[in-house]
């Protein structure tokens, strides 16, 4: 790595380098006790096999590994270790793990867990991730726990629930003539489509969600599970591409306009925004998304502060209005409209969603009481006549996919995403970009050509639909479901943001929001960051670039390796083309830009680069 890690990640803590395990054509990366990027002949077969222990809020424990042994031979490897998790009540779960791999294409991961006291968990066992690239919509063979075998397909559009239940094994084609069977023993497994949460995988996990959770692992009762992978066949594996070959960038045809760019503004951040108006003007967002939540005490003062900001920075304004829904909807929304009028706040649009819909309803759970959405939208339309009305989910696509709103009453639909619901390592976050085109395609399949907005979508989680709260992160660590993330302050976030905009560009969004202006999701720095407090984070340049592209015709741009570099291009009415490149990796990458009449260049880790 050639750059300062603090500038890249907003922290000097670097993730541990994986240990590469190999046995003939079989290879895997051993990371923190689990396996990532399991390949055969260079082709990814599984994205991960991981033994996961999750708490009552679906937070993931970080087990402490001891007695680690890694034995790498010429044709086989063997890994063993002991680990433990300690609960908030000092309860403790210990487990012993063994991983074996051989050149005949066989891999086995075995774990025996022993609670040293009653141990509460929402999940304790294996998660297996199948990649989506090249597999989405492809044929698979599923073996169920009753012994039945079914030929089926992985979902192409995102399945809101579980595509497969009562799983014992799943087999797919790796390459013509080569198949991989993943077998799971020790419990009942089922699969969910993790693209719902923008994870780039199908996840097969232990213990059906229809069973009660959290549950207790009784003291002294051993829990044993095994996941095995068997790769067979005589097909010819493709030759691996040369790692030194530059990534080529190519431009295609121009299409729909690129979306307006918004920033989310919370009431307690208005004063900081007013104090930095020249910087806000330099950033240039076309939309201000004003978050208003009466269930958290927002009232006239919040709306008056929004009015002051809207007057100082003229742009489109959307009130993101949480609906309590506990009483008469007409009275509630009419009262909000009266306060908006009293505050002097001029709105371009309002988006409404019941507060209860910010909490997820997992499979097997009872849906909470909620006012009918038809009634919510009708009341909002009566209270705010003459302005555009939006609805959907203020949480994630998961919730919108599971509770599909009556969009015929709406002028636009909206939802957010967050890449750290399940995992927070650097690779998983960047891989989440692969899932975004499937999210937009699935949304379009549901809502057709209805105007469509996404955001605010940020690395950190602004609300937790799956537990009591987001995870505090005062130490600036890489943790799932955290309310702040150090990488937001580094170059990493800039690359992820340009990558995000690139992956959704073909969807024809009318608006995209990927940051706030100040605060933990903002483009301006807090104290203790790689840049001085109040100055622009690296993210600022990314958002500013997207604001400048807004309204230009999207030009299809492709790269020869989209796991490394993504390209976003826009063309003005005069025919001028602007291209933004994002290096999604922690390595220097050579890029061939001969398509622009130039030669090669080297992009540094997580660099974003503008080409005119």
């Amino acid at each position: 790595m050639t750059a300062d890690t603090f500038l890249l990640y907003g922290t000097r803590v670097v993730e541990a380098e994986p240990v590469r395990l190999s046995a003939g054509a079989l290879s895997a990366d051993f990371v923190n006790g689990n396996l990532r990027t399991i390949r055969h002949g260079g082709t990814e077969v599984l994205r991960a096999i991981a033994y996961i222990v999750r708490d009552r809020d679906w937070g993931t424990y970080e087990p402490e590994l001891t007695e680690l042994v890694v034995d790498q031979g010429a044709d086989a490897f063997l890994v063993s270790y002991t680990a433990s998790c300690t609960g908030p009540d000092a309860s403790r779960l210990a487990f012993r793990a063994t991983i074996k791999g051989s050149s005949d294409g066989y891999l086995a991961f075995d774990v025996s867990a022993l609670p040293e006291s009653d141990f509460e968990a929402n999940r304790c066992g294996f998660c297996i991730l199948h990649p989506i690239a090249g597999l989405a919509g492809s044929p698979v063979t599923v073996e169920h726990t009753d012994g039945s075998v079914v030929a089926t397909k992985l979902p192409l559009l995102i399945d809101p629930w579980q595509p497969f239940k009562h799983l014992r094994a799943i087999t797919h084609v790796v390459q013509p003539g080569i198949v991989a069977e993943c077998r799971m023993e020790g419990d009942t497994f089922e699969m969910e489509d993790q693209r719902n949460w923008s994870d780039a995988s199908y996840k097969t996990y232990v213990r059906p969600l229809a069973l009660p959770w959290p549950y207790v692992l009784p003291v002294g009762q051993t829990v044993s599970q095994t996941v095995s992978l068997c790769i067979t066949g005589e097909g010819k594996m493709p030759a691996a591409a040369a790692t030194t070959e530059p990534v080529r960038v190519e431009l295609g045809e121009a299409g729909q306009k690129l979306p307006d760019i918004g920033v989310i503004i919370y009431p307690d951040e208005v004063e900081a925004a007013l104090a930095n108006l020249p910087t806000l003007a330099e950033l240039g967002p076309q939309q201000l998304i004003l978050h208003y939540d009466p269930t958290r005490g927002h009232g006239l003062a919040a709306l008056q502060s929004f009015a002051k900001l809207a007057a100082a920075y003229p742009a489109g304004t959307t009130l993101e209005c949480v609906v309590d829904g506990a009483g008469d909807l007409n009275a509630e929304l009419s009262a909000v409209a009266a306060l908006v009028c009293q505050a002097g706040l001029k709105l371009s649009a309002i988006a409404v969603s019941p507060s209860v819909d910010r909490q997820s309803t997992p499979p097997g759970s009872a849906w909470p009481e909620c006012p009918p959405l038809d009634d919510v939208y009708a009341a909002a339309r009566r209270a705010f006549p003459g302005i555009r009305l939006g609805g959907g989910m203020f949480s994630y696509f998961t919730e919108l996919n599971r509770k599909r709103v009556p969009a015929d009453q709406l002028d636009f639909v909206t939802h957010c995403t967050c890449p750290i619901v399940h995992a927070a390592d650097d690779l998983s976050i960047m891989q989440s970009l692969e899932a975004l085109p499937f999210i937009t395609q699935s949304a379009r399949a549901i809502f057709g050509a209805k105007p469509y907005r996404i955001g605010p979508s940020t690395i950190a989680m602004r609300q937790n639909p799956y537990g009591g709260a987001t995870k505090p992160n005062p130490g600036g660590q890489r943790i799932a479901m955290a309310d702040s993330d150090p990488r937001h302050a580094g170059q990493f976030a800039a690359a992820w943001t340009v990558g995000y905009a690139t992956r959704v560009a073909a969807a024809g969004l009318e608006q995209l929001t990927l940051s706030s202006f100040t605060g933990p999701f903002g483009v301006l720095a807090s104290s203790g960051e790689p840049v001085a407090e109040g100055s622009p984070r690296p993210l600022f340049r990314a958002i500013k670039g997207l604001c400048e592209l807004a309204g230009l015709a999207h030009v299809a741009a492709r790269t020869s390796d989209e796991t490394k570099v993504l390209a976003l291009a826009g063309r003005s009415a005069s025919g001028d083309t602007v291209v933004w490149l994002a290096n999604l990796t922690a390595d220097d990458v050579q890029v061939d830009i001969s398509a622009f009449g130039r030669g090669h260049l080297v992009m540094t880790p997580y660099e974003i680069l503008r080409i005119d």
Side-chain angles (χ1 to χ4, degrees):
M1 185 178 293
T2 58
D4 184 343
T5 57
F6 192 50
L7 295 175
L8 295 181
Y9 303 108
T11 174
R12 299 199 185 280
V13 177
V14 180
E15 290 182 327
E17 287 291 325
V19 176
R20 176 61 55 86
L21 306 171
S22 61
L26 178 68
S27 67
D29 289 343
F30 179 72
V31 185
N32 297 329
N34 295 313
L35 296 179
R36 293 289 301 267
T37 318
I38 301 160
R39 294 189 176 100
H40 186 263
T43 298
E44 187 177 33
V45 179
L46 295 177
R47 184 138 282 184
I49 304 176
Y51 192 82
I52 302 294
V53 183
R54 309 198 74 175
D55 64 24
R56 67 181 298 115
D57 287 324
W58 294 102
T60 303
Y61 284 100
E62 293 290 341
E64 299 176 10
L65 273 60
T66 58
E67 301 177 357
L68 174 62
V69 176
V70 179
D71 184 4
Q72 175 68 70
D75 298 310
F77 55 80
L78 173 64
V79 178
S80 62
Y81 63 87
T82 299
S84 64
C85 302
T86 302
D89 57 354
S91 59
R92 190 168 181 271
L93 175 74
F95 55 93
R96 181 69 179 170
T98 303
I99 302 170
K100 298 179 181 178
S102 56
S103 58
D104 62 0
Y106 184 77
L107 172 69
F109 194 156
D110 178 85
V111 174
S112 291
L114 181 65
E116 297 180 0
S117 56
D118 285 353
F119 191 89
E120 183 185 68
N122 275 0
R123 176 169 296 151
C124 179
F126 279 110
C127 291
I128 303 99
L129 306 184
H130 282 77
I132 59 176
L135 281 187
S138 67
V140 294
T141 301
V142 170
E143 179 182 335
H144 294 288
T145 52
D146 63 3
S148 62
V149 177
V150 179
T152 183
K153 290 184 178 182
L154 289 166
L156 180 59
L157 297 177
I158 300 174
D159 194 313
W161 307 106
Q162 300 106 317
F164 309 131
K165 295 182 178 181
H166 309 295
L167 280 171
R168 182 61 66 222
I170 182 167
T171 303
H172 75 276
V173 175
V174 178
Q175 291 289 338
I178 298 177
V179 298
E181 179 197 75
C182 181
R183 183 164 293 273
M184 300 141 284
E185 299 173 288
D187 207 326
T188 299
F189 289 74
E190 62 187 20
M191 176 185 282
E192 67 186 11
D193 195 336
Q194 279 210 130
R195 296 175 298 172
N196 276 293
W197 295 271
S198 76
D199 296 71
S201 58
Y202 303 98
K203 181 173 73 178
T204 303
Y205 54 91
V206 77
R207 188 175 167 91
L209 284 173
L211 296 176
W213 47 266
Y215 60 99
V216 173
L217 299 169
V219 58
Q221 292 189 18
T222 300
V223 179
S224 297
Q225 297 171 20
T226 301
V227 172
S228 60
L229 178 67
C230 185
I231 304 171
T232 57
E234 300 297 331
K236 183 178 179 181
M237 299 301 294
T243 57
T244 56
E245 182 178 334
V247 175
R248 299 184 311 279
V249 182
E250 299 176 351
L251 294 182
E253 297 299 317
Q256 304 176 74
K257 288 184 178 181
L258 289 166
D260 283 353
I261 301 300
V263 294
I264 183 77
I265 304 289
Y266 294 90
D268 60 356
E269 296 170 358
V270 171
E271 289 304 317
L274 288 168
N276 291 275
L277 281 175
T279 308
L280 179 60
E282 182 186 354
L283 183 69
Q286 287 80 28
Q287 297 281 340
L288 299 179
I289 317 304
L290 310 172
H291 181 73
Y292 182 75
D293 185 357
T295 71
R296 298 184 180 177
H298 299 169
L300 178 61
L303 295 170
Q304 287 173 328
S305 67
F306 289 151
K308 188 175 179 182
L309 178 60
Y313 180 76
T317 51
T318 297
L319 191 68
E320 184 186 61
C321 182
V322 175
V323 177
D324 187 354
D328 181 85
L329 290 170
N330 288 312
E332 179 184 351
L333 285 160
S334 294
V336 174
L339 290 176
V340 168
C341 182
Q342 184 179 347
L345 174 60
K346 304 300 182 184
L347 294 176
S348 307
I350 182 170
V352 296
S353 183
S355 180
V356 69
D357 276 348
R358 290 184 292 181
Q359 290 299 307
S360 181
T361 301
S365 301
W367 286 85
E369 288 190 18
C370 181
L373 292 181
D374 287 298
D375 294 349
V376 173
Y377 299 155
R381 185 73 76 182
R382 285 189 290 268
F384 292 90
I387 69 170
R388 301 184 72 221
L389 174 65
M393 293 291 162
F394 295 163
S395 52
Y396 308 127
F397 177 74
T398 317
E399 287 68 54
L400 183 62
N401 200 16
R402 291 176 174 174
K403 186 176 183 179
R404 300 179 178 186
V405 303
D408 58 315
Q409 297 194 47
L410 300 173
D411 297 307
F412 60 89
V413 292
T414 184
H415 68 82
C416 309
T417 69
C418 176
I420 61 168
V421 172
H422 295 112
D425 59 281
D426 299 338
L427 179 60
S428 292
I429 290 176
M430 283 302 181
Q431 286 179 334
S432 72
L433 301 176
E434 297 175 19
L436 296 176
F438 292 100
I439 288 178
T440 56
Q441 289 163 19
S442 298
R444 285 296 185 204
I446 300 167
F447 299 110
K450 178 71 66 176
Y452 178 19
R453 300 182 178 189
I454 292 180
S457 298
T458 57
I459 294 176
M461 178 180 271
R462 68 171 185 151
Q463 60 187 24
N464 181 4
Y466 316 109
T470 54
K471 300 290 183 183
N473 192 17
Q477 303 176 57
R478 294 170 171 87
I479 57 175
M481 299 189 179
D483 60 4
S484 62
D485 191 286
R487 288 161 293 192
H488 187 87
Q491 188 63 34
F492 184 97
W496 181 81
T497 297
V498 172
Y500 195 114
T502 302
R503 288 294 198 180
V504 301
L509 301 179
E510 72 168 27
Q511 184 175 294
L512 177 62
T513 302
L514 298 174
S515 76
S516 60
F517 182 58
T518 61
F521 311 115
V523 296
L524 300 185
S526 301
S527 61
E529 294 188 5
V531 295
E533 183 175 2
S535 62
R537 290 167 167 155
L539 177 63
F540 182 96
R541 182 166 174 258
I543 298 294
K544 183 175 186 290
L546 299 182
C547 292
E548 292 168 350
L549 287 176
L552 301 188
H554 172 233
V555 178
R558 302 175 182 85
T559 72
S560 58
D561 190 343
E562 293 189 333
T563 67
K564 292 181 178 178
V565 176
L566 288 175
L568 177 64
R571 184 169 296 157
S572 68
S574 62
D576 295 330
T577 300
V578 176
V579 182
W580 279 91
L581 303 177
N583 178 2
L584 308 181
T585 77
D587 300 312
D588 291 343
V589 176
Q590 288 196 33
V591 182
D592 178 353
I593 55 172
S594 56
F596 313 109
R598 308 184 193 182
H600 292 183
L601 55 84
V602 176
M603 295 188 71
T604 57
Y606 304 118
E607 181 181 9
I608 59 172
L609 181 65
R610 174 176 172 147
I611 301 174
D612 293 295

